Structures are given as C-alpha cells and as structure tokens.
Amino acid sequence: MGGDFGPSVTLPACRVFLQANPQARLLLVGKEEALGSFVHERAQCVPAAEVVEMGDAVEVALRRKRHSSMRLAIEQVRDGHAQAAVSAGNTGALMAIARYVLKTLDGIERPAIAYPLPNIKGGATTVLDLGANVDCTEHHLLQFAVLGSALDAALKGKEHPSVGLLNVGSEAIKGSEVVKRAGDLLREANQAAMLNFYGNVEGNDIFKGTTDIVVCDGFVGNVALKASEGLASMVSAVLKEEFSKSVFSKAAALVAMPVLKAFRNRLDPRTHNGAALLGLRGLVFKSHGSADELAFSYALQRAHDAANNQLLEKVKTRVQLAASLF
Amino acid sequence: MGGDFGPSVTLPACRVFLQANPQARLLLVGKEEALGSFVHERAQCVPAAEVVEMGDAVEVALRRKRHSSMRLAIEQVRDGHAQAAVSAGNTGALMAIARYVLKTLDGIERPAIAYPLPNIKGGATTVLDLGANVDCTEHHLLQFAVLGSALDAALKGKEHPSVGLLNVGSEAIKGSEVVKRAGDLLREANQAAMLNFYGNVEGNDIFKGTTDIVVCDGFVGNVALKASEGLASMVSAVLKEEFSKSVFSKAAALVAMPVLKAFRNRLDPRTHNGAALLGLRGLVFKSHGSADELAFSYALQRAHDAANNQLLEKVKTRVQLAASLF
C-alpha cells in the first residue's frame, strides 16, 4: 500500500517479480479493494483494515493503527507465513513496528538500515546505518559491521566482505572520539577473525568501492546519502537544461541519446533499490518511497534473494560469533 | 609553495590575479629560488627557509618548522603587512599555525572552515565546518552560524543570509542530541535578530540552495563534502567512459562537445575554490591542494574580496552581538 504511488506501482512490480521467480509466492497485505484485482496462482491477498500514511508519526503508526497493512505484513514474517516483508512506506514507522513485532536478536541493541550505493567498480557499496540511529556508541558501530557482513555474504556471496569505517581521514588517529574507539573495536574483531576490517575510509570511498561495506552512525549516513542524492539531482538537472537550451543542443541530445541512456542506466539507482533492516528476528526490506515499477521489483528481488540465501541464519551466526565484543 | 603543484601553478595564478585586480598587491612567501623569477611591480618576495610538506604532521609543521613559508605568510597578516593569507598546502597545518599565530576572536572557541558548494540556483551554498572540528557542542554550531553569516555578508553582499542546520529531517524533534540543542540555540538567536535561522535542512538542501549557509560539525561536513566529490568523480568517469566506448559514441561526443563543456563549466568546482578559515584575528583562505591555475586564482580573488569587503570587521561585529548566547 505504501510509497508515493501505492498499488499502482507495487502491483505491476509484483507481477514482474512473480514472472522472474517461478518458485516465489507473494502475500499482498493491504486493503482488499485495492489489491483484490490482482489475480495470480502464486499470490494471495491478506486483507488489512488500516494503512500507515507517509506523514503518520511513529507513535500513531505503532499504537493507534494496530491493524495496519505494514504491521500485518511484518506479523506474517513473525508467524512464519512469509520469509521476508517488503514495504515502500513510512521508514520510521516500518522500523518501529518491525522492532516491536519481531524484536532484535540477542546481542543487538539497535537494528540498522543498510543501503546499497552504486560504485565505480560497477557494483554497490553496502552503507549502514542510514538513519535509524542518530546517536551511536562504538559498540553499535561494531554491530553494524557484523550485520553488514552477513548481508554481503548473503547477497554478494562474499564470505569475508571488507568493512571500512567512515571517517575524516585514513589514519587511525583521525576522527571523533566514538569513531576512534570504534576503530579499536573493529581492529580487535579483525584480529579475532570475526570480520574483515579494512580500516578508515572517507566519503569518496563509498563511490570508489574501496570496501564492500561502509559503517557509520545514522546521522552521518543519512547526510551522506541525501547529499549524494542532491548532487545527483543537480547534475542531472543541469545536464538536461544544457541539452535543451537551443536548437543545436537539442540536435546534439538526439545524437548523443543512446550514450546518455547507457550512462543513465549504469548509474540507475533503481537497480539498487531495497534497504535491509538488519538485527531483527526476521527479514524486512524497505523500498524507496518514490520507487517506480522497476525499482520496486528490485526491492522484492533483494528480499527474495536474502531469504533464499539464508540471510537471517547468517546474521544470527555472525552475531553469536562476535557477541563477546559487543 | 603548497598544493600538489606548488609555484608552477600558484605563480601563473598570481599573474592572472594581479591583472584582474589593478589595486591589489601580493607578497609571495616561499623559497627565493622558486619565486624569484616572478617579477611584477605589485608583487614582492618574502623569503622563507622552510616549507610545510603535504604529509607533515601538524606537530612537525607547528613546532619544528618555525620558519616555514606557511607560518611566515600568516605572520604577514598578524603584523599588518597583508590583509589576508592564501595557501594551497596542508590543511591541518594551516589551521594549527593560523590558530597559534593569529589566535581566535573573543567568544570563539574553535575556528571553522567554510567552503562554498555549487547549488542548482547557480550560486554557492556556504557549508561549515568542513573538517576542523570533529566533536562539536551546540555552542560551536551556533558560532559557526554566526561566522558563516559574516562571510556571506562580505562575499555575497547579503546582510541577512539564511542559515540551515544540517539534520536528518526537517522537523525540530529530529536529530542527535547535540543538533537538537543547537536548533534551540539557533531559534533563540533568530528571535534576538542575531541571525536569520531557517530551520533544519537535509543533505540534499546543500545542492538545492535552500539556505545561503548550512551549519554542521566538521565530521559530518567532511563526509558530505567527500561523498559528493566521490559521486561527482564517478559520474564524470562513467560519462567519459560511455562517450569513448565506440566509434559511434566518440562521434556523438564530438557533436555534443559544446553542450558537455557548458555543462562542465556550470558545475566547475574551480570557480568556487577558496575555503575561509573563520573565527581568527586575521583572514586566511585555503585553496584545494589539487587546484590548477584557474582554481588558485579564484582562491586569491575570494581572499581579496573578503578583505576588501571588511570580512574581519563583519565577523567581529557579529560575534560581539551574539556572544551572550555563546
């Protein structure tokens, strides 16, 4: 039901997803009148009386809308009817409800949101946390590193993905007090073979793909993500403006169109849609609210692949292994 | 002497600057053998025995190289021989030496680095702090807001530039504890007409140009800046790659060249080169280390304009006015 466009985007994306994954089944959770038209032998509607709106306060979503589609979807995971839940709705509400319904794993104090950002190597760098936790301790940052490692193991098939600590310089003495202490903890975890710690990385390393995973607190991560989105919007707006300025530039745009399209496709953020909520006793994925059909189908695919590749078991194993340092 | 290219870039830039500013005079501080070749009636060489290297630790630059060109240049400002110092050298060393030689203004605990980032409105958003202070209190953030306001008054001619507080959401209840308290202080300063506080802004607002100034701690600012630089590099690398992939795309590049050039010029970061070190008893500007001739001449121009428009006096007046809240 969620996102900027609701079922007009999510339902066609479901159809794409079902076609691409002949073993997969979908539970469509939401208002019956909105979803009832979707008929597929591997899809089933789970009717929900209420919907969490994008503008709802977390408290409202959590306490007053106990029969929301968001909550019901996460309850499907808790009760074993679904292996993962996907939503394009209100992020704060989704995190709060997921935490309330599923609970965090032993040893994890705070779940994190892990987002894949495209890098120049042609892959994606997993960045976490992206907004769930604004004030973090060094132990939270270590937990994020372990959670992110499990995610990359499940989705990229890398057993020992490299972890970078986002900082203002590459030397170990750089950074805020919390980040310096986090560096010490991560080095310790690395020596104990609990994870593969690369060292400090800087903001540009996210897009260089220096490490598989970049760990930071939710404040820094959110600012880095939004600043990058803002720059990308500006670049694309200016490019568009320049190519439509005159008759000549419009002609140039026609000639360059296939190249510009290839350029756009390579950096298309839609193909990386689907942030993982990690550290919970169940799988929940968050699609960008503005996702279109293609983007939402990618979020469904990521949730499917994560479940298929035992993300939850991988997270549990790694958390248990590293818990002595938490 | 500083930057990646030293006098081979800074000297030609000086010539450009002197030509553009017929009233201006330059003191060239550095090794005589490197600068002696530069002859101009409004330029004079101030010989220095040592040079701070890009890789020097702050301690080395500050304690062991007491006759460095960097230090001597800042002493010219302290002693009234120059109205501003400009360097493309080691940022940490420059800040430490500037702070040691010039001292901070009464009421200012920590100087900040203010950087102009291009925005979609065609201007630049002044962002501070960008790396000088990684652990900040709410009072530091308020001080940054006052310092940035003085800079924009001097360089953009805006008496009441708007200030945004970088946060993870626009509502006042969002953010880390320090940022929430900073919001309270900034609202108070706004009510007392000490500055023009807009409210919270997010990372993308930097490039949207929502406010004239964006205030954040140096850790967040540094990450946002470097993440944006990283994304910009990736975009430009991918664009270049796509345009040189085949005979066809190379032909398309030729046709589109004037448009692509106009695009690049509009977002050219070199035209915004020159970060201000604010809160000191003298003017110091930092050029990007990788600056070329054009970029370095812009840094010289900014320093010149700041001095010409009484930046130092503007900073002092505003700091005095707001000091009751510091």
Side-chain angles (χ1 to χ4, degrees):
Chain A
M1 301 298 295
D4 299 348
F5 311 108
S8 71
V9 151
T10 54
L11 289 183
C14 285
R15 205 166 286 285
V16 170
F17 168 78
L18 285 168
Q19 198 147 13
N21 299 274
Q23 313 272 303
R25 288 188 308 120
L26 284 177
L27 300 178
L28 312 176
V29 191
K31 297 219 167 176
E32 225 168 346
E33 62 270 30
L35 308 179
S37 65
F38 190 92
V39 180
H40 193 285
E41 49 172 2
R42 286 181 279 119
Q44 188 187 329
C45 181
V46 178
E50 294 169 303
V51 170
V52 172
E53 304 294 337
M54 294 303 257
D56 278 348
V58 167
E59 281 305 294
V60 171
L62 193 59
R63 314 258 171 243
R64 293 210 215 127
K65 293 191 170 173
R66 293 173 190 247
H67 306 287
S68 71
S69 54
M70 198 180 263
R71 177 135 173 193
L72 214 54
I74 295 172
E75 285 172 353
Q76 302 304 307
V77 174
R78 180 197 63 193
D79 300 338
H81 302 317
Q83 274 65 60
V86 180
S87 168
N90 184 322
T91 311
L94 185 67
M95 181 52 102
I97 294 173
R99 201 172 167 176
Y100 179 79
V101 170
L102 295 174
K103 315 293 177 208
T104 53
L105 290 167
D106 288 333
I108 296 295
E109 286 163 58
R110 299 182 184 188
I113 301 181
Y115 211 96
L117 289 176
N119 63 40
I120 187 120
K121 293 184 174 167
T125 306
T126 301
V127 185
L128 72 168
D129 175 49
L130 281 178
N133 308 287
V134 291
D135 282 302
C136 284
T137 67
E138 59 274 27
H139 290 96
H140 296 138
L141 292 170
L142 171 63
Q143 291 167 22
F144 298 165
V146 171
L147 294 172
S149 298
L151 183 67
D152 269 21
L155 286 181
K156 295 183 191 160
K158 280 198 177 180
E159 267 313 298
H160 305 287
S162 56
V163 175
L165 177 63
L166 193 57
N167 205 336
V168 295
S170 53
E171 308 87 349
I173 56 146
K174 289 264 185 173
S176 63
E177 292 309 316
V178 168
V179 168
K180 277 190 251 180
R181 289 196 300 266
D184 293 339
L185 269 180
L186 286 163
R187 271 183 289 280
E188 218 177 304
N190 185 62
Q191 281 181 345
M194 291 167 185
L195 47 76
N196 174 13
F197 181 50
Y198 169 88
N200 287 338
V201 294
E202 300 186 74
N204 49 341
D205 289 302
I206 295 173
F207 299 102
K208 277 163 106 176
T210 307
T211 54
D212 295 306
I213 297 157
V214 169
V215 167
C216 57
D217 74 45
F219 193 101
V220 171
N222 182 286
V223 168
L225 174 69
K226 295 224 174 114
S228 310
E229 285 180 351
L231 177 64
S233 299
M234 178 172 77
V235 166
S236 118
V238 171
L239 198 59
K240 210 177 239 172
E241 254 181 64
E242 289 298 333
F243 268 113
S244 50
K245 227 172 194 170
S246 68
V247 180
F248 170 76
S249 62
K250 279 178 192 160
L254 275 180
V255 175
M257 191 58 78
V259 184
L260 292 172
K261 266 196 182 150
F263 161 72
R264 210 175 46 198
N265 288 345
R266 265 184 64 186
L267 296 179
D268 193 344
R270 296 178 301 173
T271 63
H272 299 289
N273 189 36
L277 274 57
L278 294 171
L280 299 160
R281 297 171 192 263
L283 300 186
V284 181
F285 281 77
K286 169 70 177 73
S287 158
H288 207 292
S290 68
D292 63 6
E293 186 183 319
L294 178 72
F296 195 76
S297 73
Y298 269 94
L300 291 170
Q301 191 64 51
R302 279 176 69 78
H304 169 272
D305 294 349
N308 226 17
N309 297 328
Q310 278 80 42
L311 172 57
L312 193 59
E313 290 65 34
K314 286 192 164 69
V315 168
K316 281 182 192 164
T317 310
R318 283 172 193 248
V319 165
Q320 274 170 7
L321 183 70
S324 63
L325 285 179
F326 290 173
Chain B
M1 301 298 296
D4 299 348
F5 311 109
S8 73
V9 150
T10 55
L11 289 183
C14 285
R15 205 165 286 284
V16 170
F17 168 78
L18 284 168
Q19 198 146 15
N21 299 274
Q23 312 271 304
R25 288 189 308 117
L26 283 178
L27 300 177
L28 310 177
V29 190
K31 298 220 166 175
E32 226 168 346
E33 62 271 28
L35 307 179
S37 65
F38 190 91
V39 180
H40 192 288
E41 48 171 5
R42 288 181 279 120
Q44 189 187 327
C45 182
V46 178
E50 294 169 302
V51 170
V52 173
E53 304 295 338
M54 293 304 258
D56 279 348
V58 168
E59 282 305 294
V60 171
L62 192 61
R63 315 255 171 246
R64 291 208 217 131
K65 293 192 171 175
R66 291 169 191 249
H67 306 286
S68 71
S69 55
M70 199 181 262
R71 178 138 173 188
L72 214 54
I74 295 172
E75 285 173 354
Q76 302 305 306
V77 174
R78 180 197 62 192
D79 299 340
H81 304 314
Q83 274 65 60
V86 181
S87 169
N90 185 323
T91 311
L94 185 68
M95 179 53 101
I97 294 174
R99 201 173 166 174
Y100 180 79
V101 171
L102 295 174
K103 315 291 177 210
T104 53
L105 291 167
D106 288 333
I108 296 295
E109 287 163 57
R110 299 184 186 187
I113 302 181
Y115 212 95
L117 289 176
N119 61 42
I120 187 117
K121 293 184 173 168
T125 306
T126 301
V127 185
L128 73 170
D129 174 49
L130 280 178
N133 308 286
V134 291
D135 282 302
C136 285
T137 66
E138 59 272 28
H139 290 96
H140 296 138
L141 293 170
L142 171 63
Q143 292 166 22
F144 299 165
V146 170
L147 295 172
S149 298
L151 183 68
D152 269 21
L155 287 181
K156 295 184 193 161
K158 278 198 178 181
E159 267 313 299
H160 304 288
S162 55
V163 175
L165 176 64
L166 193 56
N167 205 335
V168 295
S170 52
E171 309 86 349
I173 55 146
K174 288 266 184 170
S176 63
E177 293 309 315
V178 169
V179 168
K180 277 190 251 180
R181 290 196 300 265
D184 293 339
L185 269 181
L186 286 163
R187 270 182 292 278
E188 219 177 304
N190 185 62
Q191 280 180 347
M194 290 166 184
L195 48 75
N196 174 14
F197 181 50
Y198 168 88
N200 288 337
V201 294
E202 301 186 73
N204 50 339
D205 289 303
I206 295 173
F207 300 101
K208 276 164 103 178
T210 307
T211 54
D212 295 305
I213 298 157
V214 168
V215 167
C216 58
D217 73 47
F219 192 101
V220 170
N222 182 286
V223 167
L225 173 69
K226 295 222 174 117
S228 310
E229 285 179 353
L231 178 62
S233 299
M234 177 172 76
V235 166
S236 116
V238 170
L239 198 58
K240 209 175 239 173
E241 254 182 63
E242 287 298 332
F243 268 113
S244 50
K245 227 172 193 171
S246 68
V247 179
F248 169 76
S249 61
K250 278 178 193 160
L254 275 180
V255 174
M257 192 58 79
V259 184
L260 292 172
K261 264 195 182 150
F263 161 71
R264 210 175 46 198
N265 288 345
R266 266 184 64 186
L267 296 179
D268 193 345
R270 296 178 301 173
T271 63
H272 299 290
N273 189 35
L277 273 57
L278 294 171
L280 299 161
R281 295 170 192 263
L283 300 186
V284 181
F285 280 78
K286 168 72 177 72
S287 157
H288 207 291
S290 68
D292 63 7
E293 186 183 319
L294 178 71
F296 195 76
S297 73
Y298 269 94
L300 290 170
Q301 191 63 51
R302 278 176 70 80
H304 169 272
D305 293 350
N308 226 18
N309 297 327
Q310 279 80 42
L311 172 57
L312 194 58
E313 291 65 33
K314 285 191 166 68
V315 168
K316 281 183 191 161
T317 311
R318 285 174 191 247
V319 165
Q320 273 169 7
L321 183 70
S324 63
L325 283 180
F326 291 174

